[in-house]
Amino acid sequence: MAHDNKIYLPGYFLVILWITLCCVHVFASEETSEDGRKRSVSGVIVVPKHVIYRVDPRFYSFGLGCNLHWNSDISNPIIANLVKELSPAFIRLGGTLCQAMTFRDKDVGIPVKNVTLTSQIWDDLNAFLRDPGLDLIFDANILLRTENDTWDPTDFTELLEYSSSKGYPLSFELGNEPNNYPGKFNRSVSPEQTAGGFKAMRHLLQQTPRYRDALVIGPDVGFGKVIAQAEKQYLKRFLDSISRTTDATSIHFYYHDPSTLEAQLAFLTDMRNLNLFGKVLKDLRALVRNHRPGDLQAKWVGESGLFTAPCRLEGISDRFISGMVWLDRLGLGASLGIEVIVRNRLISLSHFGLFGHGGVLHVDYWSAVLFKRLVGTNVLKVHLEPSGNTTVPKTCRVYIHCTKTQGSKYGYQPGAVTVFAINFNLTAGVELSFNSTGADLFLLTPTRPGNVTSKYVALNGHELSLNKASDLPEMPPVRLEHPTYVLPPGSMAFFVVNVTDFGDCRK
């Protein structure tokens, strides 16, 4: 096949994506598959342009629930060792049950069993996070109310004074999905009341020297597939009332729909559904832009998962497909200027955390490790250009960042570029071609090719598992000297083009 129509730009590398389609004749050129059928090849040129956003170094962060079930797991030396690979990151102690949690044993007056955060559990958590350098966010209980129905900060003040005496570094939130309180707690806290609580929190922090400049994030309004009018109104009214009190505006995002494994798998491989996340983020950007004009307010997804609690099914959120969706969500979020995305959760009693109870390691831990090792904070604009009489394949998602070079385990230098791609087509491969001298490949596939509900993952054809010492194995790349590579169906990959001369990545 002739490649004479490629455009080569000085200082750039080009990635050519070729999607293989059975029995569709777009070009005169054809290839013969193993089953003897003819198949034609169409092409897409992907050109990295310039830096469009810079995300927080802790962009991919993780949550812990306020049920405190993780308390026995943070003393597990295997987990303590493996979380080091996820640094830097925020760890958010937050969620629905935080609105039933107190630092001392009190009745908060809502129909949920109270949770007591003892000083010992708090000390253990801070000690667990100290060694790997993970930064704790504490979600304070906004449902502790005064007789005048304002936030009662007494309990928070006790925790603040205790933490200050211990020297614990902290960031803060107040409340969790306040728009959903009527349905969850039979309580209501208006956007203006929520904003008033944040102002009271900021005042307390400014009176505490250690936390005078602490990050404050909120209001963590909960969204589904789209930002419904009621949710937009809640966030709009909050933004109109909050002034400059918060440092980041945060929302939550989950899908709600399917209730069977088959329906969830079909849902997560339908690009129309995956694109809903981007639509919600664009709505968030518009709300912040219109209601905090001139304010360079950071935008966070303060909590996210695949599906809401009633729909979290074993067989999806602990399988290979989860890692594919999460890698796409990270790429899409960064490309739309989201500074931090908090995955729910780091440790879970069930199947939707990176770690299960007792140190069980779930499959998408491995893609999280590679993301942390290879993807830098500078986000590059990607231009997708069809080659020939074709269209851009919707089932292949491609994102480009400058490579993470500080402390690189692979010796990458400034100027290198990381391309990460996910092929959601479960039957057709995608051929990628580079006009550089080569690239390092980190290919993640299910151990049984094409089985995206697999619990096991292979890196460049070798199944990943902990070694006998419960440490990570070596995770080397494969060097691609040939300019083309076929990304298999239902797979994801990182390509590091170590050109060292891509200008925007040398700064």
Side-chain angles (χ1 to χ4, degrees):
M1 175 178 291
H3 287 187
D4 296 338
N5 60 344
K6 296 181 192 173
I7 302 173
Y8 294 89
L9 302 178
Y12 292 81
F13 72 94
L14 302 184
V15 184
I16 314 300
L17 297 184
W18 307 101
I19 181 80
T20 303
L21 303 170
C22 289
C23 306
V24 178
H25 304 287
V26 181
F27 296 142
S29 60
E30 294 179 334
E31 296 178 353
T32 303
S33 62
E34 293 181 359
D35 59 9
R37 290 185 295 173
K38 296 292 184 180
R39 59 188 185 182
S40 59
V41 179
S42 59
V44 177
I45 301 174
V46 181
V47 184
K49 306 289 276 186
H50 53 271
V51 172
I52 52 173
Y53 295 111
R54 181 171 290 108
V55 299
D56 192 285
R58 299 156 292 189
F59 171 68
Y60 192 10
S61 290
F62 309 92
L64 286 172
C66 288
N67 53 26
L68 308 184
H69 289 158
W70 42 262
N71 187 39
S72 61
D73 289 306
I74 60 175
S75 61
N76 185 320
I78 296 175
I79 293 180
N81 181 47
L82 295 179
V83 296
K84 296 176 183 178
E85 287 284 346
L86 304 177
S87 181
F90 288 107
I91 300 298
R92 174 184 182 256
L93 179 60
T96 300
L97 283 182
C98 283
Q99 308 317 298
M101 186 173 74
T102 56
F103 189 57
R104 297 288 186 265
D105 192 3
K106 300 181 182 70
D107 182 3
V108 295
I110 58 175
V112 178
K113 183 180 179 181
N114 290 1
V115 179
T116 302
L117 178 65
T118 67
S119 57
Q120 185 60 58
I121 295 175
W122 186 239
D123 291 341
D124 291 345
L125 176 59
N126 279 274
F128 169 70
L129 300 177
R130 184 183 304 115
D131 184 41
L134 299 168
D135 298 324
L136 183 57
I137 300 172
F138 177 71
D139 178 14
N141 185 348
I142 199 173
L143 292 182
L144 294 170
R145 315 296 292 175
T146 68
E147 292 182 357
N148 297 324
D149 201 21
T150 60
W151 177 53
D152 183 350
T154 305
D155 186 79
F156 177 73
T157 301
E158 291 181 15
L159 180 137
L160 202 63
E161 292 174 350
Y162 181 84
S163 301
S164 179
S165 70
K166 293 284 189 173
Y168 295 150
L170 297 170
S171 300
F172 299 95
E173 296 179 354
L174 180 61
N176 183 80
E177 300 180 6
N179 54 309
N180 294 331
Y181 289 163
K184 290 183 176 180
F185 299 120
N186 195 29
R187 297 279 294 275
S188 181
V189 180
S190 73
E192 293 76 16
Q193 287 175 312
T194 299
F198 272 95
K199 291 176 181 178
M201 170 180 273
R202 177 61 82 184
H203 178 74
L204 285 172
L205 295 176
Q206 289 175 339
Q207 303 305 308
T208 310
R210 177 167 291 279
Y211 302 116
R212 185 173 292 124
D213 299 318
L215 282 178
V216 176
I217 308 105
D220 291 294
V221 173
F223 297 134
K225 295 190 303 182
V226 295
I227 299 185
Q229 193 60 33
E231 296 158 346
K232 285 184 180 180
Q233 284 300 312
Y234 197 101
L235 185 54
K236 170 184 175 296
R237 288 168 56 188
F238 174 84
L239 292 173
D240 287 341
S241 303
I242 195 62
S243 301
R244 297 292 190 264
T245 302
T246 54
D247 299 294
T249 299
S250 57
I251 64 168
H252 294 179
F253 179 83
Y254 292 90
Y255 296 122
H256 298 289
D257 299 47
S259 58
T260 67
L261 289 177
E262 295 77 10
Q264 287 192 357
L265 180 59
F267 186 95
L268 294 176
T269 52
D270 186 330
M271 297 301 101
R272 293 170 298 180
N273 295 325
L274 296 183
N275 289 337
L276 295 173
F277 182 58
K279 292 180 181 179
V280 167
L281 298 186
K282 290 176 182 177
D283 282 347
L284 170 63
R285 292 172 57 184
L287 284 166
V288 173
R289 181 174 61 251
N290 293 334
H291 296 279
R292 297 193 68 161
D295 182 13
L296 299 177
Q297 178 79 175
K299 293 164 284 293
W300 286 29
V301 177
E303 180 187 304
S304 188
L306 299 190
F307 297 100
T308 51
C311 299
R312 290 173 189 157
L313 299 180
E314 186 174 4
I316 292 292
S317 56
D318 59 342
R319 305 303 169 97
F320 188 84
I321 183 64
S322 174
M324 295 173 63
V325 174
W326 264 106
L327 189 58
D328 180 61
R329 192 168 287 185
L330 293 169
L332 186 56
S335 72
L336 290 173
I338 301 302
E339 291 195 12
V340 174
I341 296 179
V342 180
R343 176 197 170 124
N344 191 26
R345 299 180 178 163
L346 179 68
I347 303 170
S348 172
L349 275 180
S350 55
H351 45 270
F352 60 92
L354 283 185
F355 299 95
H357 184 56
V360 174
L361 188 62
H362 289 156
V363 62
D364 46 352
Y365 170 80
W366 302 102
S367 57
V369 168
L370 287 177
F371 187 92
K372 287 289 186 177
R373 288 185 177 185
L374 302 174
V375 179
T377 57
N378 285 347
V379 186
L380 300 178
K381 182 176 178 60
V382 183
H383 174 62
L384 298 179
E385 178 182 322
S387 174
N389 186 25
T390 64
T391 58
V392 175
K394 295 179 180 179
T395 53
C396 186
R397 309 289 273 250
V398 180
Y399 304 98
I400 307 179
H401 286 226
C402 297
T403 301
K404 181 178 180 179
T405 57
Q406 185 174 5
S408 172
K409 293 181 179 292
Y410 304 100
Y412 296 130
Q413 298 298 313
V417 176
T418 296
V419 178
F420 52 104
I422 312 101
N423 183 11
F424 284 98
N425 191 318
L426 303 186
T427 59
V430 181
E431 186 173 281
L432 295 87
S433 177
F434 301 87
N435 80 324
S436 69
T437 55
D440 285 352
L441 168 67
F442 300 82
L443 173 68
L444 293 173
T445 56
T447 50
R448 200 173 81 195
N451 178 22
V452 294
T453 57
S454 172
K455 292 174 108 176
Y456 306 101
V457 60
L459 173 63
N460 297 324
H462 300 283
E463 183 175 335
L464 289 170
S465 61
L466 302 180
N467 60 28
K468 292 182 179 180
S470 296
D471 290 324
L472 265 65
E474 294 296 323
M475 298 174 66
V478 168
R479 182 65 183 169
L480 298 179
E481 302 296 347
H482 194 272
T484 61
Y485 179 79
V486 176
L487 185 62
S491 69
M492 50 186 162
F494 298 84
F495 298 85
V496 179
V497 183
N498 201 19
V499 291
T500 71
D501 61 355
F502 190 80
D504 278 9
C505 292
R506 293 175 58 189
K507 300 174 183 177

